[in-house]
Amino acid sequence: MTEDPFVAHRRLLFTVAYEMLGSAADAEDVLQESWLRWAGTDHARVRDPRSYLVRTVTRQALNRLRTLSRSREEYVGEWLPEPLLTTPDVAEDVELAESVSLAMLTVLETLAPLERAVFVLREVFDVPYAEIAEAVGKSPAAVRQIAHRARAHVAARQPRVRVSRSEQQAVLERFLAALHTGKVQDLLEVMAPDVVFVADGGGLAAAARAPVHGAERVATLLAGVDRSASRTTTVWLNGAPAARIDTDGRLAALSLVVADGRVTRVYAVANPDKLTRLDEPVALAR
């Protein structure tokens, strides 16, 4: 039997939905809704199942995103994407790894829902403008304008320096070693002067409610955290080396942005509702 197109493209469809929503749980819901629509479709009339399914997932994700945008305005503290445990091979596709990084997903969160959908489809998945137009209900000319605006928005906010995975790994290990000592000076040596620390506890776990700016303030904050009962494990999250921290049954995920051998940004996710994908790798694809 020929494999069902939905099953064959499921990794791609999940990746599209996840990049649009920043949440694996919501992405799975979107895939379920899309599957129901696909099951009720006359497949013989679908000339290009891959494109058809991407459009279907986009429409469902866009509907979900508009609803989530309202609820996230009431979120307690900073909102960060849901981290995913991934395999090292995701990093081999540099553009895919960059697009699913917590840093990029956080930038995408600042886009309007329609801008985010257009940006993801065009810049990450190279979907033709005409197909994007059909998916989002706009003209190709309008989609081009939206894509241009979204690109400029993202370019002004995304990290401009790409580092190798080996450098990312080396800086991560230095950072975790400094974190383990609990000494302010050790932390200062591995962080850039203008480092920013962003934490997401969602009101369910202890976390700074606003970003912390500057190496002195970030180092002082991190040095004051009790790590006596913590176990830190290096893992691959969202296509990059990162860390999982277990403390008396509580979890946290740390992801770093690195430039010139130092940490420029720290993302710490402690909201337990967002840490359910840290045991089994999630398959991503473009």
Side-chain angles (χ1 to χ4, degrees), residues 114-197:
L114 185 58
E115 290 177 332
R116 184 168 184 168
V118 170
F119 180 89
V120 167
L121 291 178
R122 182 60 187 169
E123 300 302 313
V124 181
F125 298 97
D126 199 28
V127 177
Y129 286 113
E131 289 187 21
I132 299 175
E134 187 175 350
V136 302
K138 297 288 183 180
S139 70
V143 166
R144 286 179 182 274
Q145 292 181 339
I146 294 169
H148 176 76
R149 187 166 63 243
R151 275 195 299 270
H153 181 99
V154 171
R157 291 163 177 79
Q158 74 178 121
R160 291 178 170 79
V161 180
R162 282 185 178 179
V163 299
S164 66
R165 294 309 170 198
S166 59
E167 181 180 353
Q168 180 88 13
Q169 182 77 48
V171 174
L172 171 67
E173 291 174 356
R174 286 171 51 212
F175 178 81
L176 294 178
L179 189 63
H180 180 71
T181 69
K183 295 180 180 179
V184 170
Q185 186 56 44
D186 290 347
L187 288 162
L188 288 174
E189 290 176 0
V190 74
M191 294 190 299
D194 58 350
V195 65
V196 180
F197 176 86

Side-chain angles (χ1 to χ4, degrees), residues 222-244:
L222 294 176
V225 176
D226 181 14
R227 284 168 294 278
S228 58
S230 297
R231 180 170 60 88
T232 302
T233 308
T234 301
V235 294
W236 285 81
L237 296 181
N238 294 62
R244 165 182 172 148

Side-chain angles (χ1 to χ4, degrees), residues 57-164:
V57 166
T58 297
R59 293 189 189 106
Q60 297 306 313
L62 193 50
N63 291 338
R64 178 63 63 94
L65 186 58
R66 286 166 175 152
T67 302
L68 292 175
S69 295
R70 292 190 289 272
S71 65
R72 286 174 186 174
E73 292 175 359
E74 303 172 357
Y75 194 79
V76 178
E78 293 293 305
W79 187 94
L80 289 175
E82 179 182 351
L84 302 180
L85 185 67
T86 54
T87 52
D89 64 299
V90 172
E92 295 175 7
D93 185 337
V94 176
E95 291 185 359
L96 174 61
E98 181 177 286
S99 72
V100 298
S101 69
L102 291 192
M104 176 59 83
L105 292 174
T106 302
V107 171
L108 294 183
E109 190 66 17
T110 64
L111 290 170
L114 185 58
E115 290 177 332
R116 184 168 184 168
V118 170
F119 180 89
V120 167
L121 291 178
R122 182 60 187 169
E123 300 302 313
V124 181
F125 298 97
D126 199 28
V127 177
Y129 286 113
E131 289 187 21
I132 299 175
E134 187 175 350
V136 302
K138 297 288 183 180
S139 70
V143 166
R144 286 179 182 274
Q145 292 181 339
I146 294 169
H148 176 76
R149 187 166 63 243
R151 275 195 299 270
H153 181 99
V154 171
R157 291 163 177 79
Q158 74 178 121
R160 291 178 170 79
V161 180
R162 282 185 178 179
V163 299
S164 66

